[in-house]
């Protein structure tokens, strides 16, 4: 994430280069496949590391103009993940962008770290800085916990039941995620968080998604982690149906339910790879198909977590609308 950024003297200069970068961003937005176009430009080496930072910021700006704040936040976060990003962009510049995206808490994180880093030791010693940073971290952790998605529930369960899960597995336990992370969004990012947990606890991990862009991002993430995990491009229900072996932990977070706020970009990905935009019936059928395959393969102490599911008047809704007796835990248990 972008933090503690310093402003180089050249940031506001080089108009020709910035115009070229803006043109490339527009080229991607006007293409038939935004993600493929972005991936191609990144892979081509046309842009230097510093230009890549500005390229992702420009993409963020253009998606914000389209009122697609989720994708705009994704590209702003991606800019911050680039090597050397902290030397490319002024902190106040990024702060204002987070505020424009409705994420003032992220702007506050940057402002806090920047002020603390710039505070002279004459006024605060190392111990005092550490105490202040610790207090702020505790406050933010409480706030972040409230916005975490279903993966946090799964990881908490795995953490407290890992011994039993290992005992019920004939091999090193396998964790499978159906629905690889699509956007680089704070409090989401289930693929990275599950991968980090699995690496730390010597578990096998496989993430599956129907969109090759998502699995490419997953594979790159695993490479950065230095973890031998798999990112597979396939429909989740097909993969689980054909999977050979027992399942120890499954996180179902794939086909979206239709909450009426999906971006045009996300709907276009569904049209391209599944042939139609998001619809409720397909969502429910997909998760039921997954559950039926899991039911026959779940290990003795295995667990399933179904994201985006809750009870309304005693009935399961959203992704879990159709009964799924094999699911051990859901968001409603949090």
């Amino acid at each position: 994430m972008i933090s503690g950024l310093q402003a180089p003297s050249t940031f506001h200069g080089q108009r020709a280069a910035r115009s070229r970068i803006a043109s490339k961003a527009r080229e991607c937005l006007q293409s038939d496949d935004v993600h493929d176009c972005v991936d191609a430009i990144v892979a081509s080496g046309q842009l230097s590391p510093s230009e890549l930072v500005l390229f992702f910021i420009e993409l963020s700006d253009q998606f914000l103009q389209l009122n697609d704040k989720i994708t705009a936040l994704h590209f702003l976060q991606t800019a911050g993940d680039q090597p050397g990003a902290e030397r490319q962009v002024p902190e106040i510049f990024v702060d204002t962008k987070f505020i424009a995206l409705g994420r003032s808490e992220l702007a506050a994180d940057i402002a806090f770290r920047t002020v603390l880093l710039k505070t002279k030791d004459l006024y605060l010693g190392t111990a005092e800085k550490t105490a202040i940073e610790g207090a702020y971290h505790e406050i933010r952790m409480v706030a972040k916990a409230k916005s975490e998605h279903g993966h946090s529930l799964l990881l908490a369960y795995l953490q407290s039941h890992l011994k039993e899960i290992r005992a019920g597995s004939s091999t090193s336990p396998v964790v499978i995620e159906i629905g690889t992370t699509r956007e680089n969004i704070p409090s989401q990012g289930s693929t990275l968080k599950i991968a980090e947990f699995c690496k730390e606890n010597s578990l096998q991990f496989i993430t599956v998604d129907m969109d090759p862009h998502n699995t490419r991002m997953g594979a790159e993430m695993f490479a950065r982690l230095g973890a031998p995990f798999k990112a597979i491009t396939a429909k989740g229900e097909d993969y689980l149906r054909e999977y050979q072996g027992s399942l120890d932990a499954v996180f179902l977070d794939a086909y979206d339910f239709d909450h009426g706020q999906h971006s045009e970009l996300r709907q276009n990905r569904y049209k391209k790879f599944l042939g139609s935009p998001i619809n409720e019936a397909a969502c429910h059928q997909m998760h039921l198909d997954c559950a039926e395959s899991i039911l026959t393969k779940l290990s003795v102490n295995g667990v399933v977590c179904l994201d985006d599911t809750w009870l309304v008047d005693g009935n399961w809704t959203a992704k879990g609308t159709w009964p799924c007796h094999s699911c051990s835990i859901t968001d409603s248990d949090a």
Side-chain angles (χ1 to χ4, degrees), residues 35 70-71 74-75 78 149 177 179-185 188-191 209-211 213-215 217 221 253-257 259 262 265-267 269-270 278 307-308 319:
H35 285 316
I70 290 179
T71 307
H74 160 74
F75 281 118
T78 303
H149 284 220
E177 175 189 50
T180 308
T181 295
R182 289 171 300 204
E183 293 108 2
N184 187 356
I185 305 294
Q188 298 184 27
S190 60
T191 303
D209 199 279
M210 57 89 178
D211 189 332
H213 169 75
N214 300 343
T215 51
M217 289 198 304
M221 181 191 304
D253 186 25
Y255 200 118
D256 283 303
F257 68 100
H259 50 59
H262 291 296
L265 176 59
R266 182 173 293 183
Q267 290 283 19
R269 303 304 283 179
Y270 275 77
I278 296 167
D307 198 21
D308 300 316
K319 290 182 180 178

Side-chain angles (χ1 to χ4, degrees), residues 1-308:
M1 179 177 153
I2 300 173
S3 63
L5 304 175
Q6 303 300 315
S9 60
T10 58
F11 179 77
H12 293 290
Q14 302 178 341
R15 290 186 179 181
R18 298 197 65 190
S19 176
R20 178 171 62 90
I21 291 169
S23 177
K24 287 188 176 296
R26 286 193 296 273
E27 174 188 332
C28 289
L29 265 72
Q30 294 166 2
S31 69
D32 293 334
D33 191 316
V34 174
H35 285 316
D36 278 359
C37 181
V38 172
D39 289 347
I41 288 175
V42 172
S44 71
Q46 299 174 35
L47 302 178
S48 68
S50 61
E51 289 175 331
L52 273 178
V53 175
L54 298 180
F55 174 60
F56 287 121
I57 289 176
E58 184 62 38
L59 285 166
S60 176
D61 286 348
Q62 293 193 25
F63 272 104
L64 181 58
Q65 291 173 16
L66 297 174
N67 202 33
D68 183 349
K69 291 187 176 182
I70 290 179
T71 307
L73 180 57
H74 160 74
F75 281 118
L76 185 58
Q77 289 288 110
T78 303
D81 288 343
Q82 301 308 300
E86 69 278 1
R87 298 189 300 273
Q88 301 297 328
V89 191
E91 63 268 21
I92 188 63
F93 178 76
V94 178
D95 263 0
T96 59
K97 288 186 177 296
F98 277 132
I99 292 170
L101 291 170
R103 301 302 296 266
S104 56
E105 79 282 7
L106 300 179
D109 287 345
I110 292 175
F112 171 80
R113 283 190 292 268
T114 300
V115 170
L116 198 63
L117 286 170
K118 289 182 176 179
T119 301
K120 300 295 184 183
D121 291 337
L122 176 65
Y123 304 108
L124 285 177
T126 301
E128 287 85 358
K129 284 186 178 182
T130 300
I132 293 172
E133 191 170 16
Y136 182 82
H137 178 72
E138 288 183 10
I139 293 171
R140 288 292 288 124
M141 286 299 290
V142 171
K144 287 179 181 179
K146 294 180 179 179
S147 62
E148 287 285 331
H149 284 220
H151 59 262
S152 64
L153 179 63
L154 173 65
L155 294 179
Y157 184 91
L158 290 176
Q159 186 68 63
S160 60
H161 293 79
L162 201 50
K163 184 177 180 180
E164 298 97 301
I165 291 172
R166 288 189 193 280
S169 178
S170 59
T171 61
S172 172
V174 178
V175 180
I176 294 181
E177 175 189 50
I178 303 298
T180 308
T181 295
R182 289 171 300 204
E183 293 108 2
N184 187 356
I185 305 294
S187 80
Q188 298 184 27
S190 60
T191 303
L192 175 59
K193 293 175 183 179
I194 296 173
E196 290 174 334
F197 179 89
C198 288
K199 181 181 179 182
E200 181 180 345
N201 292 280
S202 300
L203 305 176
Q204 300 180 65
F205 179 46
I206 301 168
T207 186
V208 182
D209 199 279
M210 57 89 178
D211 189 332
H213 169 75
N214 300 343
T215 51
R216 278 198 299 273
M217 289 198 304
E220 291 169 2
M221 181 191 304
F222 298 158
R224 290 194 297 271
L225 278 177
F229 302 146
K230 298 178 182 178
I232 294 174
T233 303
K235 292 170 65 175
E237 61 271 38
D238 293 343
Y239 182 80
L240 290 174
R241 185 184 306 113
E242 298 166 6
Y243 183 80
Q244 301 295 314
S246 63
L247 302 168
D248 301 297
V250 182
F251 183 49
L252 295 179
D253 186 25
Y255 200 118
D256 283 303
F257 68 100
D258 188 7
H259 50 59
Q261 298 178 11
H262 291 296
S263 67
E264 181 180 355
L265 176 59
R266 182 173 293 183
Q267 290 283 19
N268 286 339
R269 303 304 283 179
Y270 275 77
K271 292 176 185 176
K272 178 173 182 176
F273 296 107
L274 296 180
S276 64
I278 296 167
N279 71 82
E280 292 286 275
C283 168
H284 303 155
Q285 186 63 53
M286 179 268 175
H287 285 89
L288 181 62
D289 290 344
C290 288
E292 289 175 341
S293 293
I294 293 169
L295 184 62
T296 64
K297 301 174 183 179
L298 198 62
S299 61
V300 175
N301 297 316
V303 60
V304 181
C305 181
L306 179 58
D307 198 21
D308 300 316

